[in-house]
Amino acid sequence: MYNSTTKEFQCDNCGKTISSYEEVWTKWKFPPQSTEMQNRPRKELEFENAPILCMRCAQDLLKKSF
């Protein structure tokens, strides 16, 4: 999730701050078409407040589901 007060992305599960170039799991929609105007991915994630998980939490949740 995006924290607007600190202007940082954080893991929805553990609250860890996500740094640049860190691999994460997220769910957000693809751009509608290549001919339409698009926002930068960071801004799009901020506007949607898309769910974000750090890879450690994502792997732990996958292990629990099996």
Side-chain angles (χ1 to χ4, degrees), residues 10-53:
Q10 295 176 336
C11 176
D12 286 355
N13 193 41
C14 68
K16 175 187 166 203
T17 301
I18 306 296
S19 59
S20 297
Y21 301 108
E22 183 175 346
E23 291 184 7
V24 297
W25 180 92
T26 186
K27 182 178 180 181
W28 61 296
K29 61 184 178 182
F30 285 111
Q33 292 180 352
S34 60
T35 56
E36 292 186 27
M37 185 174 168
Q38 299 174 17
N39 290 325
R40 300 186 74 180
R42 179 181 171 87
K43 280 295 180 190
E44 192 68 34
L45 287 172
E46 179 182 334
F47 293 148
E48 287 184 23
N49 204 8
I52 299 173
L53 293 175

Side-chain angles (χ1 to χ4, degrees), residues 49-63:
N49 204 8
I52 299 173
L53 293 175
C54 65
M55 287 307 287
R56 190 186 83 218
C57 289
Q59 290 171 352
D60 288 346
L61 290 172
L62 278 173
K63 287 177 187 176

